[in-house]
Amino acid sequence: MPYLEVRAIRKTYPGGVLANDDIHFNVEAGEIHGLVGENGAGKSTLMKILYGMEQPDSGEIWLGGQRAHIAHPQAAIQLGIGMVHQHFQLVPTLTVAENIALGRETRRGLFADRGVMRERVRALSDQFGLHVNPDALVSDLSVGLQQRVEILKMLYRNARLLILDEPSAVLTPQEVVSLFEVLRRLVAEGCTAIFITHKLDEIMTLCDRATVLRRGQVVGTVETARVTPAEIARLMVGHELEPPLARKASAAESRDRLIVRDLQTGDARLQNTTVNFSVKSGEILGIAGMEGNGQTGLVEALIGLRPDAKGDILLDGTNLHGLSTRDRRKRGLALIPEDRNREGLSRPMRIWENLASGEYDRSPLNTGGVLRLERMRTAARALMERFDIRAPNEGVAVSTLSGGNAQKVVIARELATPPAVLIASQPTRGLDIGATGFVHEQLLNLREQGCGVLLISADLDELLALSDRIAVLFEGRILRIFPREEATREQIGLAMAGKVESEQAR
Amino acid sequence: METGELILNIVASTLRLSTPLLLAAMAGLLSLQVGQVNIGLEGLMLAGAFTTVVVGFWLGSTWLGVLAAIIVGMLLAALFTLVVTRFKANLIVSGLAINLLASGSTAYLLKVLFDTSGTLSPASLESLPTVNIPVLSDIPVIGSLVFSQSPLVYVSWLMVPLTALFLYRSIPGTHIRAIGQNEEAARSVGIPVRRRQYLALMLGGGLCGLAGAHLAVGDLALFREDMTAGRGFIALAAVYFAAGRPRWAALACLLFGMFEALQFRLQLISSTPPQFFQMLPYVMVVVVLAIISARKEWRKGW
């Protein structure tokens, strides 16, 4: 009998996003179970349900042979389920022991019995090999140690099942190694762990089994000893066939529109790696890779959000190095950012205000320092028509729009004036099929017009459908660039797992 | 006047003048630590002063007046807590509202209840009796200056270590600090956040009531419109300069009390317009504390 059994969990968020669709999976006592999937695959929702932070619409959770009703986190803790969040729930000015015992203090009269608390923390810390000083202030600890405090906090509450939400995302490689040691020790001492990640090598090293989620569904549970990373990667990115897109031949003359030479993004984790590539006119260059391999840094360095970035970025022959983001945009660089809600739009502001935010500083929207609001509204109405943005009128707040329409606002702003090069970072994330098709169409249109498009996507199908070449980003560098004809799912999957040494030597 | 005697006189009046500041600062500190800074300290003090005089006069007992001031301070603080937590009102606006409410309503009630304006000084109301600490007050010179004071002076001294002990050693105090630092974390471990917010802010309200009572009946026995004269804000400044730590806040209050005491002396011996000296304490306290708090490593520990 499995220790934890999740049966037919389904969760739809208000707004209609189906985050979990008929989820089944089991965790055996004493195992480290991996839960993998790209962002938006439904991992976080599932964990929130297990920890009582969200309630499923339907489905059952069984723990140790009994049906568990988990109404809130306190109930989860009562059942012995502990969660280590990606963002630590710690109080920086309290000591380690105070943080761990917070809300569960041992009383001695009016006061907390600090001695007893300290000793319990020390005992737990020794038992599980965590080596944390109970008297240290949390604000003085490294991120890795703070994470141990979070783990101890759960153990102090007698958690037997630990859920770790992307615990390695915030750690240095050395800290990851010691986190793994800690987790192995925990399991040896009788705990069970669910380890959420999207990094394949971690699953392979640490986990006995892993359940793969994709678009809210379980696509399989694998025993890590019996599969290759590439196979897991394929499960994660999926292999449904979408209707083939019509790709016309692009403009014949192929000049380089964007050349990136020896770019260092200034990412502390990816030091000493440089990126080199070019995007030709009328070309879509796809960037594949598991998340966290330098995509964000690359995009930010290109658009000018990384002051520490080094290297040359040539846009139609002009070096953008040292130019501000605004100057880069004026020279024809456009961006569809990864997170439209935080980076792409100002959600409380109206559609026309968002649309004007690209060109409000010049004529015709601005004459002699005066904003021409009526022109902005008129221009916005035209753009809404052209890009099929569905909203009651241009005056509604962007926050009221669906994901697809919000993304269209971003696209309309970026493409209002045709750019020289468009950087599209996860442009279809979280969109439904219709909106996805619209975005694809726009990217292909740009390509036909002779723009260069840099398409960064976690969706391999999307990359294969749209790209002229596919570059694979791995640990901050481009491992290989596949011409479209040579790009197969298997080849790219291997490269995404870092397995192309032999080919690169070629 | 001899120099020695002058210095001792200044020390004595420093202690007396810092009392309302100390009490209000501990209140401000509690509000800062729970993450809901109360800029209405001024108003709470004023309401406390008014209540002390009115209730003390009506009931014929100064001590009952002081008790009533504590209660009124706590009730007003509860109101503040309600609007800033439950109704999520803006902290600055809510604190200002307390100040305006106290200033306006005391003046209004003065008119309605006693048909007077400016000052209320009931002849039958006595100020709090001076308390001599046995033995200590017999120490030559210093004894009578330091250990022969109005009772709330001692209370204010006691409140500093008590507040520190409460915040840093008691369980509810630890919760209060946790809430102020990371409310989400406090909630996630099941701390009753709302109850602790009421606790911290109402304790502060009681302290402000006491501070007001000291202003009203500590030396004399009278209420004057807006008699708090910005002390609530000075206390708040002390709290910020001390980065929320009790003993440093107390030191800052003493410093301000000292400048205020000096100011009185300087007015007596100089021909410069008195307004210049009245300004001095405020300027000096800002200068001195800014210099101290600019140092690195300042914001750690108690």
Side-chain angles (χ1 to χ4, degrees), chain A residues 51 73-74 77 85 88-94 98-99 102-114 137 139-140 153 157, chain B residues 33 165-175 177-191 196 299-302:
Chain A
Y51 195 54
Q74 298 305 315
I77 291 170
H85 297 268
F88 303 145
Q89 303 281 324
L90 296 174
V91 182
T93 54
L94 298 189
E98 282 172 330
N99 262 287
L102 194 64
R104 294 257 170 139
E105 293 87 352
T106 317
R107 280 179 185 280
R108 195 177 62 191
L110 265 180
F111 295 98
D113 193 329
R114 297 159 66 83
L137 277 184
S139 56
D140 292 339
K153 205 160 114 184
R157 287 159 173 72
Chain B
Q33 294 257 15
L165 209 60
F166 172 71
L167 277 173
Y168 291 87
R169 286 289 177 264
S170 81
I171 294 171
T174 307
H175 290 177
R177 288 193 298 139
I179 291 165
Q181 291 277 326
N182 188 345
E183 191 177 325
E184 191 57 37
R187 219 178 277 283
S188 78
V189 292
I191 289 173
R196 297 286 184 259
R299 280 154 199 282
K300 284 194 171 180
W302 285 41

Side-chain angles (χ1 to χ4, degrees), chain B residues 105-127:
Chain B
S105 64
T106 50
Y108 172 72
L109 289 173
L110 212 54
K111 190 81 194 155
V112 172
L113 299 176
F114 301 96
D115 194 26
T116 178
S117 63
T119 305
L120 176 68
S121 174
S124 65
L125 184 73
E126 290 174 1
S127 63

Side-chain angles (χ1 to χ4, degrees), chain A residues 322-388:
Chain A
L323 291 186
S324 69
T325 299
R326 177 192 290 230
D327 285 337
R328 292 180 195 213
R329 296 179 71 99
K330 275 193 180 148
R331 282 174 168 74
L333 201 58
L335 170 69
I336 301 175
E338 185 176 337
D339 185 344
R340 63 180 156 272
N341 292 326
R342 279 182 44 211
E343 295 158 350
L345 296 164
S346 169
R347 284 172 61 78
M349 292 176 81
R350 300 161 200 279
I351 294 178
W352 66 268
E353 289 170 321
N354 271 283
L355 285 173
S357 64
E359 298 183 0
Y360 67 93
D361 57 338
R362 54 202 110 133
S363 176
L365 300 186
N366 182 327
T367 45
V370 179
L371 295 178
R372 308 301 295 264
L373 304 188
E374 214 31 67
R375 287 184 191 176
M376 288 181 181
R377 283 173 169 270
T378 315
R381 280 194 290 273
L383 284 174
M384 287 172 73
E385 178 80 32
R386 191 173 134 203
F387 288 92
D388 190 31

